């Protein structure tokens, strides 16, 4: 029998033995049994729920698949491997890898870059305002709404209202929507479930909608009415009864609450709502926040609202740690997307697409948009009902590796739950006050200048932003092509997506050594896995002659405040290798100004992490303030260049422009919407085609492009997955997407049905983006 951890501790104390101890309160033992050894590992926390099968590793080497106890605390393995006899450590492994051990081995060679202390701004949105806040719940029933997105299944209409006492007149309205969490739990056994609605006795609902009190109070105390709505029915049914994992249903929940509030504001409808809202809310000044799948839900609500004949005035949308399964672009509406760096649930941070896909979707876009990477934060702790220690129902830290040196709950860089909640409160309240309240003093929290406020504490937040089109001069977008030239010891290639997923783009893949969880801009979408994602410039140099030069199409930049671009370190460059570029501006008289990029931003420094899903390759902002330039004619700047300042290196570049930051306004409701239609075809015995219709809600005066994907599924499919970018000409009301169908003479028991999905649109938004191609058998 080998020594257990407790025995090993005693031996160390008495000086008899010195063994390396397992982490924290985990205990293990190796016992000789007939024919081999029984290895047992007892965990201080339940094993995280994953698709992979857990293994047990002795001294860092996996010895095989383990049996998990019902409570998830104990793993056992019977083995005849002689390595078990000499065990010095026993740990959990996944797919043959002991993740914590791999990180620990690398820890000695990794040093996170020192972060500069950003300056604070005086207006702190996390500080309560002058109005006392009253909280009131309304509950119209657990089966009060039939949800088309769930095949007609019934859901609840339930919410908590935070209102400013004493505030007169109609107040701005902000609606919060939580994400996918267990719908029900048993208070006695502490077990959760998510497969029935209403909750079967003795289970009761988990009130996820009550977990945003911090930002709700912060807004309400400054005169906003905040309504946080429940979506447990969607959570219970979205896995099996929806085409889109619940996005449409969540959008329906949001729109139904807005309809009820609108009626009540006019003194109509349910008396309980009339008492809360009559004459008190402004439906022309609405903001939406959605967390996790709720983020995609509020994005869907924005698009549903825009498709109405008389839309509400939704002015701002905030997807928080969101999913973006169908890549719906959101041009023409001020948007803030918040990405937690230590997200252990939506670890690929696919919400980045809400920003990237909207950047150039509409010429003359009127809206400001921002995306923020919040360091040290996980997925769950923005909601107190998803946070252990403060939640009423069971909750967990979604970042499961406690020993991770960057994101583990013991890591100095990881924020505590209360610290995370505080910075989330400041950012959410600040964004809605910026856009809906036009408090422009809050713009530095979101425009890439990386300012902070006292209530955000020690949180490090990296902001990237795009101003409205009227407030910027785009120099080189690198979005599919480039006007830049490369010279000297350098190469420059416009690339898109990753892992050769989008050959139809005609561009090479970008990342070569990253997993899909490490590259938010290129992570493939669930329903559009082959749609082209975020093109940019991959620039590399082998010596300091390597240079990228762009001749300005518009030479008068005198009204701009900053030269800005996004940049990320190429993943092939070791984190410890010095990396810098020189940014140079040249005017018409060949006078020039050169500035090291490292003096403007930390964007060339590697983000922290040792193993997937970290570190992230995420493009951060570089801003050169133009007010400090002297001796350069800003009315005649002819050239911008980037030159290798370190001996060698490589970067990704995007969105080079001259900018003035402004909030702009919502115009998404003025855009046409594109929808994809259902089609039924006969299989036949040879190859044929199915023609899928795409229709516009109204004629566009400019071309509309949309990515469309047919998804292969089932056994013996007669189509293969296919993606294409379809252009609908200006003046036309629609186009088509053609899918080859491979006929056969094999008799099938039923028709085959395949999803067809539209997303990533330019010149229009997405209306009904999901359709079915049904192939009937003729054998």
């Amino acid at each position: 029998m080998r020594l257990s951890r407790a025995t090993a501790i005693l031996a160390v104390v008495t000086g008899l033995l010195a063994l390396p101890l397992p982490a924290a309160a985990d205990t293990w033992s190796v016992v000789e049994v007939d024919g081999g050894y029984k290895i047992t590992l007892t965990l201080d926390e339940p094993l995280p729920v994953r698709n992979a099968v857990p293994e047990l590793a002795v001294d860092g080497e996996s010895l095989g698949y383990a049996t998990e106890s019902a409570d998830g605390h104990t793993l056992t393995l019977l083995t005849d491997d002689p390595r078990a006899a000499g065990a010095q450590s026993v740990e959990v492994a996944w797919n043959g890898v002991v993740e914590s051990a791999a990180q620990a081995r690398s820890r000695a060679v990794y040093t996170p870059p020192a972060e500069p202390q950003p300056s604070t701004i005086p207006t702190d949105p996390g500080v309560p305002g002058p109005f006392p806040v009253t909280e009131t719940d309304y509950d119209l029933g657990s089966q009060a709404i039939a949800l088309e997105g769930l095949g007609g299944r019934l859901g609840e209409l339930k919410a908590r209202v935070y209102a400013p006492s004493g505030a007169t007149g109609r107040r701005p309205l902000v609606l919060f929507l939580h994400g996918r969490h267990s719908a029900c739990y048993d208070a006695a056994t502490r077990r959760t479930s998510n497969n029935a609605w209403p909750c079967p006795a003795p289970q009761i609902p988990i009130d996820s909608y009550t977990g945003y009190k911090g930002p709700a109070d912060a807004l309400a105390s400054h005169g906003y009415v905040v309504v946080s709505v429940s979506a447990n029915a969607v959570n219970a049914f979205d896995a099996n009864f929806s085409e889109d994992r619940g996005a449409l249903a969540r959008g329906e929940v949001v729109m139904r609450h807005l309809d009820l509030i609108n009626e009540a504001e006019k003194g109509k409808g349910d008396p309980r709502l009339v008492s809360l809202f009559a004459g008190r809310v402004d439906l022309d000044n609405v903001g939406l926040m959605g967390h996790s799948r709720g983020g995609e839900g509020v994005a869907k609500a924005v698009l549903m609202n825009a498709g109405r004949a008389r839309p509400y005035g939704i002015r701002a949308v905030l997807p928080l740690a969101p999913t973006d399964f169908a890549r719906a672009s959101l041009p023409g509406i001020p948007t803030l997307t918040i990405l937690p760096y230590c997200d252990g649930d939506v670890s690929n941070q696919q919400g980045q697409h809400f920003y990237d896909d909207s950047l150039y979707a509409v010429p003359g876009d009127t809206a400001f948009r921002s995306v923020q990477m919040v360091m040290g934060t996980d997925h769950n702790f923005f909601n107190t009902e998803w946070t252990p220690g403060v939640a009423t129902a069971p909750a967990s830290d979604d970042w499961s590796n406690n020993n991770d040196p960057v994101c583990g709950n013991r890591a100095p860089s990881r924020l505590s739950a209360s610290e995370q909640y505080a910075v989330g409160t400041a950012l959410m309240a600040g964004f809605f006050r910026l856009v809906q309240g036009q408090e422009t003093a809050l713009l530095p929290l979101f425009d890439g200048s990386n300012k902070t406020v006292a209530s955000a504490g020690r949180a490090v937040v990296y902001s990237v932003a795009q101003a409205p089109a009227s407030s910027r001069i785009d120099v080189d977008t690198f979005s599919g092509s480039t006007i830049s030239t490369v010279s000297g010891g350098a190469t420059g290639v416009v690339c898109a997506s990753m892992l050769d997923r989008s050959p139809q783009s005609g561009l090479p893949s970008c990342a070569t050594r990253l997993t899909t969880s490490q590259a938010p801009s290129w992570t493939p979408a669930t329903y559009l896995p082959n749609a082209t994602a975020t093109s940019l410039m991959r620039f590399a140099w082998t010596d300091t002659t390597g240079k990228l030069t762009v001749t300005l199409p518009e030479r008068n930049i005198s009204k701009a405040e900053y030269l800005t671009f996004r940049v990320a370190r190429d993943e092939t460059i070791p984190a410890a290798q010095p990396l810098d570029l020189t940014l140079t501006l040249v005017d018409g008289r060949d006078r020039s100004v050169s500035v090291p990029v490292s003096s403007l931003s930390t964007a060339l420094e590697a983000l922290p992490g040792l193993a997937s899903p970290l570190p992230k390759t995420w493009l951060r902002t570089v801003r050169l303030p133009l007010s400090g330039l002297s001796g350069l004619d800003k009315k005649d700047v002819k050239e911008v260049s980037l030159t290798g300042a370190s001996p060698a290196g490589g970067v990704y570049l995007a969105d080079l422009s001259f900018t003035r930051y402004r909030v702009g306004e919502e115009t998404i409701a003025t855009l046409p919407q594109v929808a994809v239609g259902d089609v039924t075809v006969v299989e036949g015995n040879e190859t044929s085609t199915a023609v899928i219709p795409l229709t516009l809600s109204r004629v566009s005066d400019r071309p509309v492009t949309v990515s469309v994907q047919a998804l292969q599924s089932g056994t013996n499919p007669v189509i293969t997955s296919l993606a294409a970018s379809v252009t609908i000409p200006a003046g036309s009301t629609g186009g088509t997407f053609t899918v080859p169908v491979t006929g056969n003479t094999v008799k099938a028991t039923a028709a085959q049905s395949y999803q067809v999905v539209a997303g990533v649109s330019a010149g229009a938004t997405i209306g009904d983006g999901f359709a079915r191609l049904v192939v009937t058998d003729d054998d």
Side-chain angles (χ1 to χ4, degrees):
M1 174 177 175
R2 296 298 300 169
L3 292 172
S4 70
R5 181 177 183 268
T7 307
I9 291 174
L10 177 62
V12 171
V13 171
T14 58
L16 299 175
L17 181 66
L19 294 178
L21 301 180
D26 294 353
T27 60
W28 59 270
S29 64
V30 179
V31 180
E32 291 189 35
V33 296
D34 290 342
Y37 306 91
K38 180 181 179 181
I39 306 174
T40 303
L41 175 64
T42 302
L43 303 171
D44 64 333
E45 296 181 359
L47 193 73
V49 177
R50 291 179 58 162
N51 289 302
V53 179
E55 304 161 29
L56 282 181
V58 167
D59 301 333
E61 300 293 332
S62 175
L63 298 193
Y65 296 117
T67 300
E68 180 182 354
S69 64
D71 65 3
H73 277 280
T74 304
L75 298 174
T76 57
L77 171 64
L78 293 173
T79 180
D80 59 1
D81 194 311
R83 289 178 291 180
Q88 299 294 298
S89 68
V90 176
E91 299 170 280
V92 181
W94 300 95
N95 302 311
V97 177
V98 180
E99 295 171 350
S100 60
Q103 292 157 351
R105 285 193 294 272
S106 301
R107 201 175 303 171
V109 298
Y110 176 79
T111 304
E115 297 292 348
Q117 293 300 313
S119 58
T120 60
I121 61 173
T123 303
D124 190 339
V127 173
F131 297 106
V133 178
T134 60
E135 293 182 22
T136 310
D137 286 5
Y138 66 81
D139 186 353
L140 307 186
S142 61
Q143 295 182 295
I145 179 176
L147 296 167
E148 178 187 345
L150 298 177
R153 284 163 182 80
L154 302 177
E156 76 271 28
L157 285 172
K158 184 177 182 180
R160 177 160 293 178
V161 181
Y162 304 79
S165 296
T168 59
R170 290 178 170 84
R171 313 306 301 179
L173 173 66
V174 182
L175 188 145
F176 291 170
L177 176 66
H178 66 83
R180 191 171 194 266
H181 195 68
S182 294
C184 309
Y185 80 108
D186 187 317
T189 65
R190 307 296 291 171
R191 290 184 178 178
T192 62
S193 70
N194 198 44
N195 54 14
W197 183 262
C199 296
Q203 296 187 0
I204 58 177
I206 295 176
D207 292 333
S208 294
Y209 72 101
T210 65
Y212 305 106
K213 177 177 171 59
D217 279 346
L219 282 164
S221 68
H222 282 274
Y224 294 72
V225 174
V226 180
V227 179
S228 186
V229 306
S230 178
N232 275 334
V234 185
N235 287 344
F237 294 133
D238 63 359
N240 299 308
F241 300 104
S242 70
E243 284 276 6
D244 58 6
R245 285 173 167 80
L248 172 59
R250 290 182 173 88
E252 291 180 273
V253 169
V254 170
M255 295 307 297
R256 182 58 177 148
H257 279 278
L258 289 179
D259 289 342
L260 289 168
I261 294 167
N262 183 44
E263 287 297 302
E265 194 279 326
K266 298 173 183 177
K268 303 175 182 179
D270 191 294
R272 291 168 290 182
L273 274 64
V274 171
S275 67
L276 289 170
F277 299 115
R280 298 191 67 188
V281 289
D282 183 359
L283 272 297
D284 287 325
N285 190 359
V286 178
L288 302 179
M289 185 284 288
H291 187 182
S292 193
R293 290 199 192 182
E296 192 165 14
V298 296
K300 183 64 177 177
V302 167
L303 297 171
M304 294 169 70
N305 181 69
R308 288 188 169 189
R310 299 182 65 182
Y312 299 117
I314 299 178
R315 295 189 181 183
V317 60
L318 194 163
L320 168 64
T323 60
D324 186 13
F325 295 143
R327 287 187 58 189
S329 50
L330 293 172
I333 183 167
T335 303
L336 169 64
T337 304
I338 296 177
L339 305 177
Y341 192 73
C342 299
D343 195 323
D345 187 345
V346 187
S347 59
N348 59 15
Q349 295 167 320
Q350 57 195 261
Q352 176 70 31
H353 289 310
F354 283 124
Y355 181 86
D356 288 352
D357 290 346
S358 304
L359 288 173
Y360 308 108
V362 176
D365 195 341
T366 60
F368 168 87
R369 61 184 49 85
S370 178
V371 60
Q372 294 184 316
M373 187 71 76
V374 187
M375 307 303 289
T377 59
D378 75 349
H379 187 84
N380 286 349
F381 291 179
F382 295 105
N383 183 321
T384 52
E385 286 307 304
W386 296 2
T387 304
V390 292
T392 302
S396 64
D397 181 354
D398 52 278
W399 188 275
S400 58
N401 182 0
N402 293 334
N403 296 318
D404 184 89
V406 174
C407 291
N409 61 17
R410 302 181 183 94
S413 55
R414 176 70 186 272
L415 300 186
S416 69
S418 60
E419 287 176 319
Q420 174 169 336
Y421 201 69
V423 68
T425 292
L427 296 177
M428 285 185 265
F431 178 69
F432 291 118
R433 286 175 57 184
L434 168 66
V435 179
Q436 292 179 263
Q438 291 294 298
E439 294 186 57
T440 56
L442 292 166
L443 187 58
L445 287 179
F446 307 103
D447 65 4
S449 54
N450 295 324
K451 302 294 184 182
T452 189
V453 290
S455 68
R458 66 187 181 102
V460 174
V461 181
Y462 295 116
S463 298
V464 172
Q466 185 192 50
S470 61
S471 296
R472 66 178 200 269
I473 301 169
D474 292 326
V475 177
D476 199 340
T477 65
F478 307 110
S479 54
S481 61
T482 181
I483 61 172
S484 298
T485 58
V486 175
S487 59
T491 58
V493 177
V494 175
C495 61
S497 307
M498 63 187 303
L499 305 175
D500 298 318
R501 287 182 179 268
S502 304
Q504 75 278 6
S505 71
L507 298 172
S509 284
C510 291
T512 52
R513 297 185 187 175
L514 296 175
T515 67
T516 56
S517 290
Q518 292 176 293
S521 286
W522 304 311
T523 186
T526 299
Y527 293 111
L528 288 148
N530 305 119
T532 305
T534 314
S535 64
L536 41 74
M537 168 67 75
R538 191 174 195 176
F539 174 62
W541 63 98
T542 56
D543 58 49
T544 54
T545 66
K547 184 177 182 180
L548 180 144
T549 305
V550 56
T551 302
L552 270 59
E554 169 59 57
R555 294 171 71 143
N556 185 350
I557 56 122
S558 58
K559 294 183 179 180
E561 296 170 344
Y562 301 94
L563 168 64
T564 69
F565 60 93
R566 287 195 294 161
V567 65
R569 189 184 190 98
D570 192 298
E571 76 277 5
T572 62
I573 307 300
Q577 179 177 320
L579 190 68
D580 205 357
L581 290 161
T582 298
L583 173 64
T584 302
L585 284 73
V586 183
D587 70 9
R589 296 172 61 184
D590 289 328
R591 294 174 296 190
S592 65
V593 173
S594 294
V595 182
V597 169
S598 60
S599 69
L600 303 172
S601 170
T602 60
L604 292 176
E605 297 172 358
L607 288 169
L610 302 170
S612 182
L614 304 177
K616 306 291 184 181
T617 292
W618 187 71
L619 288 89
R620 287 181 275 168
T621 294
V622 175
R623 304 190 342 158
L624 173 67
L626 300 178
S627 58
L629 297 181
S630 60
L632 197 74
D633 186 355
K634 297 177 188 175
K635 294 183 178 181
D636 186 26
V637 176
K638 68 176 182 179
E639 178 182 295
V640 174
S641 66
L642 287 165
T643 307
S646 51
V651 295
Y652 296 105
L653 297 168
D655 309 323
L656 180 63
S657 68
F658 290 93
T659 295
R660 291 183 302 128
Y661 286 103
R662 302 292 184 271
V663 176
E665 59 185 352
E666 179 274 326
T667 54
I668 193 170
T670 66
L671 298 171
Q673 293 197 326
V674 61
V676 59
D678 298 322
V679 168
T680 299
V681 298
V682 177
E683 173 201 302
N685 297 331
E686 299 177 351
T687 299
S688 60
T689 56
V691 180
I692 313 297
L694 302 169
T695 58
L696 282 178
S697 59
R698 58 180 179 271
V699 173
S700 174
D701 60 1
R702 62 172 66 96
V704 169
T705 62
V706 59
S707 292
V708 191
Q709 175 109 39
L711 293 167
Q712 175 185 307
S713 60
T715 58
N716 300 315
V718 295
I719 74 163
T720 58
S721 291
L722 176 70
S725 180
V726 177
T727 298
I728 301 172
S732 177
T733 57
T736 59
F737 171 59
T738 302
V739 180
V741 177
T742 305
N744 57 50
T745 58
V746 178
K747 185 176 181 178
T749 58
Q752 298 192 48
S753 181
Y754 305 98
Q755 275 188 316
V756 180
V757 184
V760 203
S761 56
T765 59
I766 299 296
D768 185 355
F770 284 77
R772 282 282 168 178
L773 166 59
V774 177
V775 182
T776 60
D777 187 69
D778 63 344
D779 298 308

